[in-house]
Amino acid sequence: MYTSQTLLLIFAFISAAVTSTYGYSALQDARIIAQFRRDQELNHAKIARQLVHQANWASVGSISTNAIVENYPMVNIISVDDNDASGKSTGKIHFLLTDLDFTGPDWQRNNKVTFLFTDEQTLNCKNNNKDPMEPTCARIMISGQVRKISTSAADYKNALATFEKRHPAAINWMKAHHFYLCELDIQNIFVLDFYGGPHNVKSADYYSVQL
Amino acid sequence: MYTSQTLLLIFAFISAAVTSTYGYSALQDARIIAQFRRDQELNHAKIARQLVHQANWASVGSISTNAIVENYPMVNIISVDDNDASGKSTGKIHFLLTDLDFTGPDWQRNNKVTFLFTDEQTLNCKNNNKDPMEPTCARIMISGQVRKISTSAADYKNALATFEKRHPAAINWMKAHHFYLCELDIQNIFVLDFYGGPHNVKSADYYSVQL
């Protein structure tokens, strides 16, 4: 979120403030800096959660099994939902796949996928005069594994119901075309929300955010 | 665009019309069917051109070289432009990359990329009450190779100028961060614009469309 130069300035400012108020304390400085770093990480996690929650779809990359573009990265549009029964964000990314589409066969051969979410999906960047590729137009790349949710799992019915509430078209998808409900098992989250390069957010920090 | 059943019905209708007006002619039927097929293909090509032209960005898949997610499909948001100097669509997909971002290092190790464009990028599907994953929410996946345009190439200056006209932020990108101008060399185009599965569009048909 900040360049290392900016971070140094902020740390210097915090140190100066602490020095003038309480006198110099290396231990206190270290604690404040650790807290500052932690807050920054939580901000990135929060941005990730917000981008996921506001999105109805993601651009999903997989390694293609289609004979025409075999081993190319394929990118598909996949409808997503992270709501609980009351519409609150859980961070859990649910989606429906079918083996008749691109992503379905791909993940079953090579279970490595990446979900891209960008603030431009809702035109937030355009409406704030930000180019979609500017680092200030927040984006996240969540990589991980597709996990098919068993129809006998405890959370299956609720998860499907909340998905269909958000995506009523899915009621028809489930009637035919062999769609199945999945969740993304998160391995890595990259967050770009400002200049200075991407940030890694741990999935534990991502899930612990309260929106 | 149509299921084979629907196609058969249409062909039957055309045949019946031809029979009643001109009498039966197998040759004429074959010509009409060929023309019908050709028109359909051109419609898909036209939809591809329209989706590219209306978009300011694409979701770009590459094979990741990032140590944390090596060999995963990475998906990035990349600003694009297919305008000529007067703002008309050429179909040529121009974009700027930097090796400081994800896509830059990836294509140089494995030059296989896919650009996803969807009608939902402009909220056209949402505004017409279509779920973003419905086949009627048109999308295209264009796979191919990244080609860096030499700064001494004949079309370099014009291509960069039209890109910067559409993406004024790029003027700053070019001043630092080692961005370079590229074009997508198209290997394959998948078009999904209706029920019944994806269509392949040849790059020659794609480029020959006049928008």
Side-chain angles (χ1 to χ4, degrees):
Chain A
M1 195 157 188
Y2 300 95
T3 62
S4 48
Q5 211 173 11
T6 318
L7 273 180
L8 278 175
L9 279 171
I10 293 168
F11 292 166
F13 177 78
I14 292 170
S15 300
V18 170
T19 308
S20 59
T21 318
Y22 305 104
Y24 182 76
S25 159
L27 184 62
Q28 199 159 16
D29 277 10
R31 277 186 190 145
I32 288 169
I33 288 168
Q35 185 58 42
F36 176 81
R37 281 189 170 141
R38 174 89 185 146
D39 289 349
Q40 289 307 108
E41 284 314 309
L42 281 177
N43 284 349
H44 300 309
K46 192 175 181 186
I47 285 167
R49 284 288 296 277
Q50 285 167 332
L51 286 185
V52 166
H53 188 56
Q54 76 180 18
N56 281 323
W57 58 280
S59 299
V60 177
S62 56
I63 305 294
S64 187
T65 52
N66 186 295
I68 299 170
V69 287
E70 201 171 358
N71 296 322
Y72 270 74
M74 175 49 71
V75 189
N76 204 357
I77 180 168
I78 302 291
S79 288
V80 297
D81 167 55
D82 82 328
N83 286 346
D84 67 11
S86 65
K88 271 193 71 179
S89 151
T90 65
K92 291 179 185 176
I93 301 171
H94 288 146
F95 48 101
L96 289 175
L97 293 181
T98 168
D99 295 350
L100 297 171
D101 195 9
F102 294 101
T103 317
D106 289 354
W107 78 268
Q108 289 173 79
R109 188 161 89 184
N110 189 345
N111 199 355
K112 293 189 173 105
V113 294
T114 293
F115 283 52
L116 168 73
F117 297 88
T118 155
D119 208 18
E120 185 60 3
Q121 284 172 262
T122 50
L123 305 189
N124 276 348
C125 298
K126 186 182 175 174
N127 294 339
N128 287 289
N129 206 25
K130 288 185 216 166
D131 192 273
M133 202 169 151
E134 272 287 316
T136 50
C137 176
R139 79 192 86 161
I140 55 168
M141 293 87 160
I142 310 189
S143 297
Q145 275 63 52
V146 172
R147 178 167 52 81
K148 195 172 174 171
I149 303 179
S150 165
T151 53
S152 59
D155 60 343
Y156 178 81
K157 278 191 180 172
N158 277 340
L160 183 61
T162 58
F163 189 94
E164 289 178 342
K165 200 169 166 187
R166 195 163 183 179
H167 298 280
I171 296 165
N172 280 326
W173 304 345
M174 291 304 291
K175 286 182 189 158
H177 307 302
H178 312 285
F179 276 88
Y180 47 88
L181 186 66
C182 302
E183 183 174 324
L184 181 62
D185 281 342
I186 296 176
Q187 289 299 314
N188 187 74
I189 306 174
F190 282 124
V191 179
L192 277 104
D193 50 18
F194 203 71
Y195 303 100
H199 300 269
N200 268 94
V201 168
K202 287 181 194 127
S203 64
D205 288 338
Y206 167 86
Y207 283 118
S208 71
V209 170
Q210 297 292 323
L211 279 195
Chain B
M1 192 155 190
Y2 299 95
T3 62
S4 48
Q5 211 174 11
T6 319
L7 273 179
L8 277 175
L9 278 172
I10 292 166
F11 293 164
F13 178 77
I14 291 169
S15 300
V18 169
T19 308
S20 59
T21 319
Y22 305 104
Y24 182 78
S25 157
L27 185 63
Q28 200 159 14
D29 276 11
R31 277 186 189 146
I32 288 169
I33 289 168
Q35 184 59 41
F36 176 81
R37 281 187 170 143
R38 174 87 188 149
D39 288 350
Q40 288 308 108
E41 285 313 309
L42 282 175
N43 285 349
H44 300 309
K46 193 175 179 183
I47 284 166
R49 284 288 298 278
Q50 285 166 332
L51 286 184
V52 167
H53 189 56
Q54 77 180 18
N56 281 322
W57 58 279
S59 297
V60 177
S62 56
I63 306 294
S64 187
T65 52
N66 186 295
I68 299 170
V69 287
E70 202 171 358
N71 296 322
Y72 270 73
M74 175 50 69
V75 189
N76 204 357
I77 179 168
I78 301 291
S79 288
V80 297
D81 167 56
D82 82 326
N83 286 347
D84 67 10
S86 65
K88 272 193 71 180
S89 151
T90 65
K92 292 180 183 173
I93 301 170
H94 288 145
F95 48 101
L96 289 175
L97 294 181
T98 168
D99 295 350
L100 297 171
D101 195 8
F102 294 100
T103 318
D106 289 354
W107 78 266
Q108 289 173 78
R109 189 162 88 184
N110 189 345
N111 199 354
K112 292 189 174 106
V113 293
T114 293
F115 283 52
L116 168 73
F117 298 87
T118 155
D119 208 19
E120 185 60 3
Q121 284 172 262
T122 50
L123 305 189
N124 276 347
C125 299
K126 185 182 177 177
N127 295 338
N128 288 288
N129 206 24
K130 288 185 218 165
D131 192 273
M133 203 170 151
E134 272 288 314
T136 50
C137 177
R139 79 193 85 160
I140 55 169
M141 293 86 160
I142 310 188
S143 298
Q145 276 62 53
V146 172
R147 179 167 51 82
K148 193 171 175 173
I149 303 178
S150 164
T151 53
S152 58
D155 59 344
Y156 178 81
K157 278 191 178 169
N158 276 340
L160 182 61
T162 58
F163 189 95
E164 289 178 342
K165 201 171 165 185
R166 196 164 182 179
H167 298 281
I171 297 167
N172 279 327
W173 304 345
M174 291 303 290
K175 286 182 190 159
H177 308 302
H178 310 288
F179 276 87
Y180 47 87
L181 186 66
C182 301
E183 183 174 324
L184 180 62
D185 280 342
I186 296 175
Q187 289 299 314
N188 187 74
I189 305 174
F190 282 124
V191 179
L192 277 105
D193 50 19
F194 204 72
Y195 303 101
H199 300 270
N200 268 95
V201 168
K202 288 182 193 124
S203 64
D205 287 339
Y206 167 87
Y207 283 119
S208 72
V209 170
Q210 297 291 323
L211 281 194

